[in-house]
């Protein structure tokens, strides 16, 4: 049965919540079939699929297209669309229209916003309108030009600010919170301070759930952050298959008789 935002919220403290990204239908189908609770259509599509060096160039149209593909292929998981850089936060009307597209056009069940003091009111407005919001604190890669990709919440002051923002977003109506690249003890403190589930990436074992970029988790990425564990080697499996194909064509082994068809009736003509 389809997961709902409420299921995700109620699961906190029970079994860990599992979340992976997906950006296309076949990957979403595999992730969904393996029982992962939440599929995030991440703006990490910029790095993983579109060949960009950061998530900043990703557009609302690109996110809507990927989210629609994922939604069409997903039966059980909750589908969350990541809102790309500058598609929210500067103008309330535009933010809500962009987020609304993910639900109305692309079949997402919720959106994720990289959070800060400027997203508290927006989170409240979206929640009131029926757009469930997943918040995101710690390393927020859309701020790469200010933060780099360094671990966040590493000073007493920064950790206290993260805690305050987590509480403020919960009060504003966020249903869940991603904590990225923060010390495990800070993530534990935040997890204890809020009742919404926290989902960690590089944030230690005390969160209510975990998320990874699917390409990193299956071993498809050529580079991964230090907090990643590769649970497979899809890149090598795919390279072997591509190499096998190239060699079979070059040596004339492919296509063989079983891959082709001779039309007998045309035999005396051709
Ligand atoms: N494939 C992929 N996986 C991800 O997890 C991911 C993306 N892409 N793109 C968007 C962001 C960027 N992320 C990153 C990127 C780099 C580090 C990293 O290497 N951090 C260094 C410190 C770098 C610094 O200090 O500036 C580290 O050692 O932790 C962490 C998260 C996580 N996200
Ligand atoms: C890593 C997750 C949390 C994300 O925001 C993304 O994949 O874009
Ligand atoms: Mg993202």
């Amino acid at each position: 049965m389809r997961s709902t935002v409420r299921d995700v919220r109620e699961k906190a403290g029970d079994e860990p919540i599992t979340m992976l990204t997906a950006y296309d239908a076949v990957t979403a189908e595999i992730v969904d079939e393996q029982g992962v609770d939440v599929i995030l259509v991440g703006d990490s599509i910029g790095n993983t699929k579109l060949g960009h060096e950061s998530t900043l160039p990703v557009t609302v149209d690109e996110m809507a297209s990927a989210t629609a593909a994922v939604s069409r292929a997903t039966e059980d998981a909750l589908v969350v669309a990541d809102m790309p850089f500058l598609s929210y936060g500067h103008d309330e009307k535009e933010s809500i229209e962009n987020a609304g597209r993910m639900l109305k056009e692309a079949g997402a069940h919720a959106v994720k916003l990289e959070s800060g003091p400027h997203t508290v009111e927006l989170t409240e407005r979206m929640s009131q309108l029926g757009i469930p919001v997943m918040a995101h604190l710690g390393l927020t890669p859309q701020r790469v030009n200010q933060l780099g990709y360094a671990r966040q919440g590493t000073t007493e002051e920064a950790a206290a600010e993260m805690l305050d923002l987590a509480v403020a977003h919960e009060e504003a109506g966020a249903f869940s919170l991603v904590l990225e690249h923060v010390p495990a003890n800070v993530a534990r403190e935040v997890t204890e301070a809020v009742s919404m589930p926290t989902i960690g990436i590089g944030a230690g074992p005390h969160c209510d759930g975990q998320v990874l970029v699917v390409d990193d988790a299956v071993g498809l990425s050529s580079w991964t952050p230090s907090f990643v564990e590769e649970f497979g080697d899809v890149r090598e499996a795919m390279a072997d298959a591509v190499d096998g194909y190239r060699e079979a064509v070059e040596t004339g082994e492919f296509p063989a008789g079983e891959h082709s068809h001779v039309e007998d009736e045309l035999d005396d003509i051709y």
Side-chain angles (χ1 to χ4, degrees):
M1 214 183 61
R2 165 79 66 189
S3 292
T4 62
V5 161
R6 209 225 255 117
D7 294 333
V8 170
R9 203 194 287 120
E10 286 178 355
K11 209 171 169 189
D14 213 6
E15 221 179 74
I17 296 163
T18 53
M19 178 158 102
L20 275 176
T21 67
Y23 318 96
D24 64 88
V26 66
T27 308
E29 193 175 89
I30 293 168
V31 170
D32 191 47
E33 280 171 2
Q34 296 313 310
V36 169
D37 299 309
V38 185
I39 297 181
L40 173 68
V41 188
D43 62 345
S44 51
I45 190 174
N47 304 80
T48 58
K49 303 299 171 192
L50 302 179
H52 297 304
E53 279 194 358
S54 74
T55 60
L56 305 197
V58 176
T59 67
V60 174
D61 284 345
E62 286 166 344
M63 288 306 303
S65 168
T67 301
V70 166
S71 297
R72 286 192 286 268
T74 302
E75 276 180 21
D76 295 328
L78 189 82
V79 176
V80 180
D82 217 2
M83 296 309 297
F85 183 51
L86 297 188
S87 69
Y88 63 97
H90 58 305
D91 178 71
E92 188 185 80
K93 185 167 175 285
E94 204 174 307
S95 305
I96 287 166
E97 282 168 1
N98 287 333
R101 279 187 64 187
M102 299 305 163
L103 274 70
K104 293 181 72 159
E105 232 177 78
H109 307 109
V111 299
K112 181 168 77 58
L113 310 180
E114 290 188 11
S115 309
H118 65 297
T119 56
V120 176
E121 264 182 53
L122 183 59
T123 296
E124 179 159 34
R125 193 75 190 114
M126 285 188 183
S127 303
Q128 285 168 343
L129 288 167
I131 304 174
V133 175
M134 180 177 277
H136 180 166
L137 293 169
L139 171 56
T140 46
Q142 290 171 16
R143 304 185 80 97
V144 61
N145 290 301
Q146 292 164 324
L147 307 177
Y149 291 128
R151 189 178 285 109
Q152 298 297 303
T154 55
T155 65
E156 199 177 336
E157 194 189 353
E161 192 183 326
M162 196 184 304
L163 202 82
D164 286 349
L165 279 173
V167 170
H169 282 80
E170 169 155 83
E171 285 171 354
F175 75 95
S176 176
L177 169 65
V178 167
L179 292 173
E180 178 163 353
H181 212 16
V182 303
N185 44 344
V186 174
R188 183 180 53 205
E189 186 75 12
V190 173
T191 299
E192 283 169 7
V194 294
S195 58
M196 63 180 164
T198 59
I199 302 182
I201 171 165
H206 310 297
C207 296
D208 298 301
Q210 295 292 325
V211 57
L212 282 178
V213 165
V214 72
D215 297 53
D216 300 346
V218 303
L220 181 59
S221 301
S222 50
W223 176 91
T224 64
S226 54
F227 49 70
V228 165
E229 167 83 18
E230 293 180 330
F231 295 87
D233 198 345
V234 171
R235 194 180 178 93
E236 191 176 311
M238 201 157 160
D240 285 350
V242 170
D243 197 50
Y245 165 78
R246 181 193 53 72
E247 197 172 316
V249 171
E250 286 177 359
T251 58
E253 280 166 48
F254 178 84
E258 78 235 52
H259 305 114
S260 17
H261 174 76
V262 174
E263 192 61 62
D264 289 338
E265 268 189 47
L266 302 175
D267 230 12
D268 45 356
I269 308 174
Y270 297 105

